[in-house]
Amino acid sequence: MQKNILHTLFQRMNPEFAFAVEYWDGKTEQYGQGDVQLKIKIGEKVPLTRLMNEPSLTFGEAYMNGDIEIDGKIEDLINLAHSNKQLLWTKNLPNLPKLSFKKAKSNIEHHYDIGNDFYSIWLDETMSYSCAYFKDENDSLDQAQINKIDHVLKKLQLKPGETLLDIGSGWGWLIIRAAQLYGVQAHGVTLSEEQYTKTNERIKSLGLEQQVQVTLSDYRELPKQNLCFDKIASVGMFEHVGRDNYPVFMETVNSLLKDKGVMLLHTITHQTEEPGDPWIQKYIFPGGYIPSVREIISLLPEYNYHLIDVENLRLHYAKTLDNWSSRFEEHLDEVREMYDETFIRMWRLYLQSSAAFFRNGGLGLHQILFTKGVNNDLEQTRAFLYK
């Protein structure tokens, strides 16, 4: 009976994607048209009723536990799922509560405080955990992450003596490089104790204590310190804000940014407003919500923000994730000294499936540049970015 239910579901899927399923009784069925490159092995311990009701979450958990095996590329599996998204995902947007300071911190700790030792295994030398920028297809990950930081800093058009804030400053390389290259006073803020500790170590080792500082706090606390900045960047943090908190984010930026100041928002995006993947929300980024581009753009006029530039680095993020995934797999022995096989399978699925979603267009990565009020003193073309 349960096998028949799954068989019916798979028969309803897009026939353009050929795949095979090996069931727990040893029998294999083929679905779709063409040559089969993907085979899914389903064990008898998979809760089939739940798989029908919550396919993404149940499938992800079953893969983590080894009850489902994938013979082929995870990217092919994601392309299959994405082509059947109306069948597998709900259209309803999540009704998420506003994140308190305490809840926001616990969500960040869930992902970013796994440990600096873990992230240092597969990130680049800067430990940049966001989309890199490959100016040349042969750029190494290290070079591409420096390219990304430089691309952000160039867009902000920094000048010596200006003040820069990085909201969600990660392991600190953006504020450090901004101080080194542009002579600005740079300030970072993070909720991650691991990132805070590593950033301070880097600042001290480079002798930049008088020029760069980092705060361990919620970004919403900064206005209480009467701080004000010429330029603000936020790279890979907006996805954690939560949909109901967008006005709070924009109001906070407004209180921190000087008149005519420039803000660069670097964030993962959806094409339209969509609920988050339940497996990702439970195991990878609790409390997260990926915005659509139009959600962000529509907010700007409400705060007298003037849009300057929008750029999509979607394929750059796919390549970034390819690099992370390869480095992760190359260092599995080191990862196994820290975590069990369930953790490894979870991260493998996360990294490889994310790359697939960026490559097939399910996700985008946008850099959105805007000013507070009218600023007529900025460069008139993009030519300066590529000098």
Side-chain angles (χ1 to χ4, degrees), residues 23-39:
Y23 291 95
W24 53 91
D25 60 5
K27 294 182 180 179
T28 300
E29 297 282 353
Q30 180 175 335
Y31 303 94
Q33 303 167 357
D35 296 332
V36 172
Q37 302 294 325
L38 173 69
K39 184 178 182 180

Side-chain angles (χ1 to χ4, degrees), residues 234-240 246 264-270 289-292 296 311-312 317 358 364-368:
S234 184
V235 178
M237 177 271 182
F238 195 66
E239 302 92 320
H240 304 289
Y246 289 170
L264 184 137
L265 185 62
H266 170 121
T267 180
I268 299 171
T269 56
H270 273 140
Y289 171 76
I290 296 173
S292 68
I296 301 171
E311 183 176 17
N312 190 355
Y317 215 160
F358 279 104
L365 188 287
H366 280 85
Q367 290 187 343
I368 300 171

Side-chain angles (χ1 to χ4, degrees), residues 56 59-60 63-64 70 72-82 89 268 270 277 279-281 283-285 290 314 317-319 321-322 324-326 328-329 344-364:
S56 174
F59 190 98
Y63 177 77
M64 288 165 56
I70 300 169
K73 297 180 180 178
I74 288 179
E75 179 167 352
D76 290 338
L77 172 68
I78 298 305
N79 288 337
L80 170 66
H82 186 65
W89 281 283
I268 299 171
H270 273 140
D277 180 89
W279 182 80
I280 290 288
Q281 292 211 344
Y283 290 98
I284 307 299
F285 292 118
I290 296 173
R314 175 178 62 83
Y317 215 160
K319 190 166 184 175
L321 282 150
D322 288 342
W324 288 343
S325 179
S326 294
F328 180 82
E329 297 294 337
I344 290 172
R345 291 169 72 93
M346 177 179 72
W347 273 80
R348 176 181 294 131
L349 183 60
Y350 157 57
L351 292 172
Q352 294 186 25
S353 64
S354 295
F357 274 118
F358 279 104
R359 193 167 282 112
N360 67 28
L363 293 174

Side-chain angles (χ1 to χ4, degrees), residues 153-171:
L153 298 179
K154 281 185 176 182
K155 285 185 175 183
L156 288 169
Q157 300 184 41
L158 295 168
K159 296 179 177 58
E162 287 187 332
T163 52
L164 167 68
L165 171 66
D166 185 5
I167 300 176
S169 53
W171 284 275

